[in-house]
Amino acid sequence: MDTIQTLNLELQSASGELVNKVEGWISALVLQLPNLVLATLIFLAGVVITRFMRRGVKKTVARYSDNQTIVNLASNVTAVIFSVILGLIILSVFNLDGAVNKFLATAGILGLAVGLALQDPLTNLFSGVLMSVRDMYNIGDIVETNGFFGTIQTISLRSTVIATPQGQRVTIPNKDVIQNPLINYSILGNRRLDLVCGVSYGEDLEEVERIVLDCATTIDGVNTDKPIKCYFTGFGDSSIDLVLQVWTEYARQPDFLKFKSDAIKSIKKAFDKSDISIPFPIRTLDFGIKGGVPLKSMLQSKSLVNGL
């Protein structure tokens, strides 16, 4: 009987404590009811404001950038920041200032750890955003960067994909693109061809220059609105070197290569018609001890010695 009475007393004590706790919770809930209603109103108002903010940010960013990825990123970042602020306000309504301070401290530590762990992806992300804002290039542009030459196929917030003329796809991280020189051959709409050639030392250079300039104006695709120039650049081993500078509208790499091929064929035909030679490499043999004695003189000297 004593054991049963003891169990009954313990059950009554436990049930009493449970009832007291439930009553305390109900009392606390009743006391916090105004705060709960206020927090609910703040939450609902925040949801509506967030939707309007997302739309407003999208319209604003779309005025400065046509990249839909950038527009969505700006909208999402704005929504996340506002949601965090909204959560802190709701916690303050319930007088949970201590929890807010702990949350901010924890968020700071977690942010530092995540930043260190995702350093390269975040760098690529911000580089992609910067490139989109600066409008450095567009899909279809022909560029050269990081030792690769080709046509841009895809631009994302993390990387840029280039298709090379050899048929390969090259994925370059955006941070490498932003930190290294980039040549955009398409942005200005035209490109200059520097065609190097050589003529014999016996040619009349003024006549050669006239023929080259006249021939350049007949090349298919040449831009005659820009200056056509011909310069003699130096004395080569077997020729006098020159460079022809002409401009053409530049759309695709095959078009430029065809323009270069047509220029070479036109100049070769003009030289052949005017009997101007493009010399082969020539090697002169010197048989003198000190130099300057040609082979013919050596043979004549040898004949005289044999005659004696």
Side-chain angles (χ1 to χ4, degrees):
M1 293 295 295
D2 295 336
T3 304
I4 296 175
Q5 291 179 354
T6 303
L7 290 175
N8 290 332
L9 292 175
E10 290 179 355
L11 289 174
Q12 292 176 0
S13 176
S15 60
E17 292 180 0
L18 179 59
V19 170
N20 292 333
K21 287 185 177 181
V22 172
E23 290 177 351
W25 291 342
I26 294 175
S27 300
L29 180 61
V30 171
L31 293 176
Q32 292 291 337
L33 189 59
N35 294 336
L36 182 61
V37 174
L38 178 60
T40 303
L41 295 176
I42 293 175
F43 174 77
L44 295 176
V47 171
V48 175
I49 294 174
T50 301
R51 292 181 179 178
F52 282 104
M53 288 184 62
R54 290 173 65 94
R55 295 176 183 175
V57 170
K58 284 185 176 181
K59 292 181 180 180
T60 303
V61 177
R63 297 177 183 175
Y64 302 96
S65 176
D66 296 331
N67 193 326
Q68 189 62 35
T69 305
I70 297 296
V71 175
N72 293 334
L73 177 65
S75 174
N76 293 334
V77 170
T78 303
V80 170
I81 293 175
F82 183 76
S83 298
V84 172
I85 296 175
L86 184 66
L88 296 178
I89 294 175
I90 292 175
L91 291 176
S92 299
V93 169
F94 289 103
N95 297 321
L96 298 176
D97 296 334
V100 172
N101 294 333
K102 292 180 180 179
F103 172 78
L104 293 177
T106 304
I109 296 174
L110 290 177
L112 179 61
V114 171
L116 293 175
L118 302 178
Q119 183 175 2
D120 287 343
L122 289 176
T123 303
N124 290 326
L125 175 64
F126 287 116
S127 298
V129 173
L130 179 60
M131 287 190 299
S132 298
V133 173
R134 292 174 58 184
D135 195 19
M136 297 176 60
Y137 49 69
N138 299 302
I139 295 176
D141 286 356
I142 300 175
V143 299
E144 182 177 355
T145 180
N146 290 273
F148 296 99
F149 174 87
T151 304
I152 296 177
Q153 285 194 328
T154 305
I155 302 174
S156 66
L157 291 178
R158 293 176 296 177
S159 62
T160 298
V161 178
I162 295 178
T164 67
Q166 293 76 23
Q168 293 89 14
R169 286 169 54 92
V170 182
T171 302
I172 305 176
N174 285 334
K175 69 180 183 66
D176 293 334
V177 177
I178 202 73
Q179 293 175 358
N180 291 283
L182 181 141
I183 303 175
N184 191 332
Y185 293 98
S186 302
I187 192 170
L188 297 180
N190 52 69
R191 182 179 176 184
R192 191 181 75 185
L193 170 65
D194 293 348
L195 186 60
V196 179
C197 184
V199 296
S200 171
Y201 274 90
E203 305 295 346
D204 184 352
L205 299 185
E206 292 183 355
E207 180 68 11
V208 170
E209 182 179 5
R210 183 189 65 79
I211 292 173
V212 170
L213 292 176
D214 290 344
C215 176
T217 59
T218 64
I219 301 173
D220 186 23
V222 67
N223 187 354
T224 56
D225 294 334
K226 287 185 172 292
I228 300 175
K229 299 180 181 180
C230 177
Y231 299 105
F232 292 96
T233 58
F235 297 95
D237 294 336
S238 57
S239 65
I240 295 181
D241 300 326
L242 63 91
V243 58
L244 170 66
Q245 297 180 344
V246 290
W247 292 82
T248 182
E249 293 184 357
Y250 188 57
R252 300 183 304 119
Q253 180 67 5
D255 298 334
F256 182 76
L257 294 178
K258 184 179 184 303
F259 175 72
K260 183 177 181 179
S261 177
D262 292 342
I264 293 174
K265 290 188 291 186
S266 298
I267 292 177
K268 178 63 167 58
K269 290 179 181 179
F271 281 178
D272 292 343
K273 184 178 180 179
S274 301
D275 197 24
I276 295 175
S277 63
I278 302 175
F280 296 98
I282 299 174
R283 185 180 298 274
T284 300
L285 301 179
D286 193 342
F287 295 90
I289 298 176
K290 293 185 178 181
V293 181
L295 177 61
K296 182 178 180 180
S297 299
M298 293 291 296
L299 293 176
Q300 290 177 352
S301 299
K302 185 176 181 180
S303 299
L304 291 175
V305 171
N306 292 335
L308 295 176

